[in-house]
Each structure stands twice: as structure tokens, then as C-alpha cells.
Amino acid sequence: MPVFKPDPVQEDAAPTAPALSPLALAGRWVAMAALSAALGGALNAAGLPAAMLLGPMIAAAAMALSGRSVPLPRAAHFAALGVVGCMVGEATPPTVLGDILDHWVVFLIGVGSVVGLAGGLGWLLARAQVLPGTTAVWGAWPGAASAMVILSDAHGADMRLVAVMQYLRVSLVAASAALIARFWVGVPEGVEAAAVDWFPAPDLLGLAVTAAVVTASLAIGRIVRMPSALFLAPMAIAIALNASDLPTPALPPWLLTGAYAVAGWGIGLRFTRPILAHAARALPQLLIGIVALIGLCFCLGVALAAATGEDLLTAVLATSPGGMDSVAIIAASSDVDMPFVMAMQTARFLAVLFLGPWLARLIASWVPRA
């Protein structure tokens, strides 16, 4: 059984890559974009939800693992999260908080069960010495992966190992949820997808509102220094605009597709060879643990559907162990109760955000010292 311990220096796991010429960098971008379009188109033709998230995610991971990674500007990734947040806010009615309060028992059980399962996985990984102490717990926490990675570093965990587990889980959750939506729940026979008008007449006012909301979310994220604000802030603003008589964000298909692609790149490009090499010996155990967590959360979703009367896919996505943005994209491309899914995901994320540091220390304290 592999044993991992934090390295003395955690600031940078890999040497700085040599600078690329503008022509070489442009060539890599063209290659990644072409591969993303090909994979996204193939997955879309196969009927998979969120094809334009999964295709670019796989393409970016392939580029990164082949040593041909490209630098994704943080502003572009953050703006993409803002657009996805706007999309979720547009689909979420202003009554979502009231729904949580009205059905607080369901949300308490649903959120508590997933957090408990994730904490149990972290404890098992730490006890088996697959990952050290709080690193195992932070790696297992469901929620926004980028927030968990940054918070883990602030609380003394090895953020590189946390990043491996978080983004591996996000990738497997996104892929499994899309596969479940397509092949297990299925699409009605004989029903053809409606033609998509990729470039409708531009709603200049709505696009201006979208740009303003995304810009505001970037400013809020910089002020509060919380990565989750880049997703939650535009979501909250869009919900508030929906509840008022003010103009709401416009989200044409070309904009959403671009945001999905950038979000997928943001996940895939995290899988660099130095990071994976650092955790290579632990990958079999991590994969087993993550697959087990996904399976248990799926069973929890089945129970939730039976208890609440929600359709199965809605319940499965609601109990899916993150990440919130990729689940939102899959939910938006499927016939589910989007407000219920995002209410459960948001409630769980907030619970982990505020209780995660304390719970990580508590769970780690239960692990016998080697």
C-alpha cells in the first residue's frame, strides 16, 4: 500500500516550462480547439448531455498529459464560470431559498448524507495511508474543486494531492452523470432534438447585462478572495434580476457553448504530468474510492427519488458529489428539475465551505498515527 507524505516544499511541484514561441503556442491552441470540437461533436452526436463540456475536458487532459499543455488565462476561466453561474441563476426561480426552508428535512438528510460519505472516504484513505491526514479529507470533500484545493492549502494539506483527487473526481462525476443521463435514464424513443439556432438575433441589452454580471462577479471574487464567488455571485445576481423587473442576462447558444468549452479546459488542463506523477502510486486506490463514493451517492439519489417523488435523474444529479458547475451544465442539458438540483448542490457546497475545515481536522484526529 503506497504511503504519501507532504513534501517539504509545496509551492511548485514541477519545474518551470520553457517559454513557447507565439507560433508554437498558437499551434497548440488550434490543436486543442480542433480536438475539442471533434470530441464534442462526436459526444453530441452520441446524445450525451454536456458534450461541449466533456469533449473539451478530454481534449485538454490529453494535451496536458502529452506535455503539450497551454496556459489558460485565469480571467477567461473565471468569466466562463460567471456565464455558467448566470445560466444557473436564469434557470433557478427566486423561491429557491423558500423551497429549501420548506423542505429542510430533505435537504438536511441529502446534504448530510453526501458530506458524511465523503468524510468517511477521506478517513479510510487516511487510515490506509494512501494520503496523509487532512489531505485525504480535503480531497474527498464534495463541492467546487478549485475552492477545495485553495482552502486545503490554507489549512495545511498538500494541495497537489488534493488537486489530483478533486479533479479526478470532478471528471469521473461529469462523465458518469452524462452517461447515466443518456444511457440509463435514456431519451424518449422517436423524439428528435430541436434544431439549435446558434446565432439568434443579438439581444444587445441582455448581452450587456451578462457582461456586467460577469464583470461584477470577477470584482466580487477579487474582493472576497473566494473562488466559489465567481460561480455563486452571478448565480445570485441572475436570480435577483429574475425576481425584479430589471433586464436579465442574455445567454445565446454560442456564448454558452464557449463557456462550457472553457470550463472543460479548466478541468482538463489541471491534469499535468508532474501532478499525476506525484500521485501515480495512489491512483488505483483513489479511483476505487472515488468510484465507490459515486456509487453510494447514486444509491442515495435512488432513495431520494423514491422518498420525494422527484424523477431519478434529478435526484441523482442533486446527490452527485460535485463539482457544482459541471453538474449545472449537465442538468441544463437534460430534462430535470434544475432548481431542485442546484438548491441541493448549493446547500451542500455552503455546508462544506463553512464546516469543512473543522470537520477535516476532526476526522484526521481519528486516524491513528503511523
Side-chain angles (χ1 to χ4, degrees):
M1 183 84 55
V3 179
F4 279 85
K5 295 182 180 180
D7 292 343
V9 179
Q10 296 194 18
E11 284 79 7
D12 206 349
T16 303
L20 294 173
S21 68
L23 184 60
L25 184 59
R28 291 190 181 184
W29 271 109
V30 170
M32 188 170 73
L35 184 58
S36 298
L39 290 173
L43 294 175
N44 187 62
L48 286 179
M52 295 315 297
L53 170 77
L54 295 176
M57 181 182 75
I58 297 171
M63 294 288 291
L65 295 177
S66 67
R68 301 178 185 276
S69 184
V70 296
L72 179 65
R74 295 181 67 186
H77 188 207
F78 293 165
L81 292 180
V83 172
V84 175
C86 286
M87 179 270 294
V88 174
E90 284 280 274
T92 304
T95 58
V96 62
L97 181 59
D99 292 339
I100 293 176
L101 295 176
D102 290 342
H103 304 90
W104 65 270
V105 174
V106 171
F107 281 88
L108 181 63
I109 294 175
V111 169
S113 298
V114 176
V115 171
L117 290 173
L121 172 61
W123 178 80
L124 287 173
L125 292 175
R127 183 175 178 82
Q129 300 182 46
V130 176
L131 293 177
T134 57
T135 298
V137 183
W138 279 106
W141 277 152
S146 58
M148 296 301 106
V149 171
I150 292 173
L151 286 173
S152 70
D153 186 48
H155 290 86
D158 187 332
M159 69 182 298
R160 294 169 299 182
L161 293 174
V162 172
V164 169
M165 189 168 177
Q166 282 286 336
Y167 287 102
L168 187 61
R169 192 197 70 239
V170 167
S171 301
L172 291 177
V173 166
S176 62
L179 290 171
I180 289 170
R182 174 63 180 89
F183 295 109
W184 201 81
V185 176
V187 177
E189 293 290 339
V191 177
E192 296 184 0
V196 177
D197 183 5
W198 290 100
F199 298 98
D203 177 3
L204 297 181
L205 178 59
L207 288 173
V209 172
T210 302
V213 172
V214 172
T215 301
S217 70
L218 293 174
I220 293 171
R222 181 179 293 273
I223 292 171
V224 302
R225 297 187 179 278
M226 185 184 299
S228 57
L230 301 167
F231 180 82
L232 293 177
M235 174 180 166
I237 295 172
I239 291 174
L241 290 175
N242 272 336
S244 67
D245 294 328
L246 298 173
T248 57
L251 301 166
W254 59 264
L255 179 60
L256 283 176
T257 298
Y260 295 169
V262 174
W265 290 338
I267 297 172
L269 288 173
R270 299 278 182 166
F271 288 97
T272 60
R273 285 194 294 178
I275 291 178
L276 285 184
H278 186 73
R281 291 180 297 170
L283 282 179
Q285 291 89 338
L286 295 182
L287 283 170
I288 292 172
I290 292 170
V291 170
L293 177 63
I294 293 174
L296 290 171
C297 289
F298 175 83
C299 295
L300 182 61
V302 173
L304 181 65
T308 63
E310 289 284 354
D311 65 275
L312 180 60
L313 185 56
T314 293
V316 167
L317 290 177
T319 57
S320 176
M324 191 162 59
D325 48 358
S326 56
V327 169
I329 294 172
I330 295 170
S333 59
S334 309
D335 184 17
V336 299
D337 185 349
M338 180 78 162
F340 182 85
V341 171
M342 294 316 301
M344 184 74 77
Q345 289 280 338
T346 302
R348 190 181 69 226
F349 171 75
L350 293 175
V352 172
L353 184 65
F354 291 109
L355 298 178
W358 174 74
L359 287 174
R361 291 192 299 270
L362 177 64
I363 294 172
S365 70
W366 297 340
V367 179
R369 291 186 179 274

